[in-house]
Amino acid sequence: MYLKRIMAALAVSAALPMAASHATDLEVTHWWTSGGEAAAVSELAKAFDASGDKWVDGAIAGSGGTARPVIISRILGGDPMGATQLNHGRQAEELIEAGLLTDLTELAEKEGWKDIVNPPSLLESCTLDGRIYCAPINIHSWQWIWLSNAAYEQAGVPVPTNWEEFVAAAPKLKEAGIVPLAMGKQGWQQNGAFGVMVVAIAGVDAWKKVNADKDAETARGPEYAKVFEAAVKAREFAADSNVQDWNQATNMVITGKAGGQIMGDWAQGEFQIAGQVAGKDYTCLPGLGDNAILDTAGDAFYFPKVDNAETTEAQMRLASLIVSKEVQVSFNLKKGSLPIRGDVDLSAANDCMQKGLKILADGGIMPSGDQNLTPDTTTQIEDLMAEFWSGDMSAADAQSRYAEIIESAE
C-alpha cells in the first residue's frame, strides 16, 4: 500500500507534537494555486482570520498527485500541519487507521452535519467505523466538457450539444487551426477525462460495476471497448495540445485556441477570473451532453492529531467554519463547485452552476472514483493513461491492461 511504503521509508508510526508559535495560528496545506482556486481559498482564509484565528497558508504548487505525498510524509514524519485539504474518500483511509487524524464526530453531532450535508455520501466518505474524520467543503464533479463558443464560431460550425457532435465538428476545427480537445500531459487529467467518457458512453451501471464492484469482466467487455475506442479519437483530437497543467488547457479554451476540454467544474474558476460569461462566451455540457449526471467527488479538510489543546480547539473552529452557510456560499461561488448543503442562497450562481444545482436537486448523482478506489489503484490507472495518451497504444491493449489493474484492485 502507498501509505505503508512511506511509513516504512520514514520508519515512523506516529506523528510527534506540533510546535506552534501561537495557539490559534493554523497552517493549512492545499493544492489550490491556479487563479480561480486562489480566489476561492482566499475567501476561506479571510473568514478564518475574521473569526479571530490566523490562517497560515501552506499552498503546494502542482496537482493533488504532487501535493498528497508531501502532505502524507509530513504527517508521518512528525511535522503535521494544522489542517489539510484532501479529497474525501479513500485517500486518508490508512492515516485514519494509523490513528493520525482527529476525530470530528463530537463536533459533527453537535452541529447536526448529518442533517445538513447533502448528498449523505459526502459525509459517509468522511466516516470510518462510524466515526467522522473530515469536513467536506464542496462537491466537485468531473462530469463536464467546456466549450469555446468563439472557437466554433471561427470554425463555422454550431457549438456541440453532445459528444457525437463534438467528434463530428473536430475536423472543421482542425481546418481552422484550432485544437479540438485541450488536454494537459498528466495522468490524473487523462484518467479523469476517461472516467467522464465511461459514464457518457458506457453508462453509470457499467462504471459502477468496474469502480465499485471491481468487475474485471465488465472492464474487458464490449461497453468499455467502445470507451477505449473513443479515447483513441480523443487522443488524436488532443495531439497538438502541448500544455502540462490543467489550467493551461483551460486557458486554451478561454482564448479560443481549443474547442473544448473535459475537466471538472473547478475549471469554472478560471473562466470567471478571465471575465468570461457562462452561456455567452463558453458552453458547459454535463455528462458530455449525453448523460446529465454528477459524481460526488470533492474536497474536504482533515485535521492531523497534535499535542496542543489550543491548536486542537482552533482545528475545531475551522472545521465548523467550513460547513457554515456563509463559507459555503463565498467559497463555492469562487471555486465553481457546488455547496455541501442545500439550505444556502446561490441565486448568484452562473448558468453552469445552475445546471449542476438542478442535477443535484433532481438526484442525478453517482459516487466518484476517490470514493471507491484506493490511491494505489488510482495511481496505476493514471500511469497507464499517461502512457496511453502520450503514445500509440491500441485501444485493445489499453483495455486489457486496464482490466488487469481492476482485477487486482482492493
Side-chain angles (χ1 to χ4, degrees), residues 285-350:
L285 300 179
L288 304 186
D290 289 319
N291 196 350
I293 193 166
L294 302 180
D295 62 77
T296 51
D299 300 296
F301 279 89
Y302 292 78
F303 302 86
K305 281 187 177 178
V306 293
D307 190 18
N308 184 311
E310 291 182 350
T311 300
T312 300
E313 290 173 2
Q315 290 176 326
M316 295 302 103
R317 289 192 290 272
L318 178 56
S320 178
L321 195 67
I322 285 167
V323 181
S324 70
K325 288 184 178 182
E326 294 76 15
V327 165
Q328 281 296 303
V329 171
S330 63
F331 178 86
N332 286 298
L333 283 177
K334 290 289 180 68
K335 192 71 164 61
S337 47
L338 301 180
I340 55 96
R341 51 191 300 165
D343 58 349
V344 294
D345 180 10
L346 283 178
S347 56
N350 67 27

Side-chain angles (χ1 to χ4, degrees), residues 28 56 63 65 105 124 130 173 190 217 231 234 244 260 264 281 348 350 384:
V28 185
V56 180
S63 65
T105 307
E124 290 167 6
L173 289 177
Q190 296 151 347
E217 290 309 305
Q244 186 76 8
D281 300 305
N350 67 27
L384 170 61

